Amino acid sequence: MINYIGYIIAIASAVILGLILRLPLLPEKPIRQSWTISVIFPTAVLAIGFTAIISKLGYHLIGYQEYLVALVIGVLTAIFSKFILERILPPPVQEEVS
């Protein structure tokens, strides 16, 4: 069972790799209406979610293996957010106001 340190490792690795991949730290302003993929949302949130899913599926890892799994989840989440997420969930089409 992944403990809180595993969640922290997953978030940290996702944030660090997201910044290396040049994802913006925060979405564009106004944040409520922005569909920009950023490091904070959805990258870090997806890292927490995928880590929780792996934890709840019942993988019982021994020693440092759970931390390695959390690190891999964080890395894969950052790569997923940068290159694949907009292809799966495209931003909504905005109507122009005339």
Side-chain angles (χ1 to χ4, degrees):
M1 184 171 157
I2 296 179
N3 56 17
Y4 294 114
I5 296 172
Y7 290 113
I8 293 170
I9 291 171
I11 293 170
S13 62
V15 167
I16 291 169
L17 186 62
L19 290 173
I20 291 171
L21 293 173
R22 298 189 185 263
L23 282 171
L25 185 61
L26 292 172
E28 298 171 350
K29 301 250 177 180
I31 293 177
R32 281 189 189 175
Q33 298 171 353
S34 175
W35 291 94
T36 305
I37 294 174
S38 66
V39 171
I40 302 299
F41 185 80
T43 307
V45 176
L46 288 174
I48 293 172
F50 291 144
T51 306
I53 289 170
I54 293 296
S55 175
K56 292 297 178 184
L57 283 176
Y59 288 101
H60 299 290
L61 303 170
I62 300 170
Y64 292 104
Q65 290 177 347
E66 64 185 38
Y67 303 138
L68 182 62
V69 168
L71 180 71
V72 169
I73 289 172
V75 168
L76 291 177
T77 303
I79 293 170
F80 176 77
S81 294
K82 175 69 177 180
F83 298 111
I84 301 172
L85 188 61
E86 281 191 343
R87 292 182 184 162
I88 295 174
L89 301 170
V93 178
Q94 296 191 6
E95 298 178 11
E96 293 184 23
V97 178
S98 51

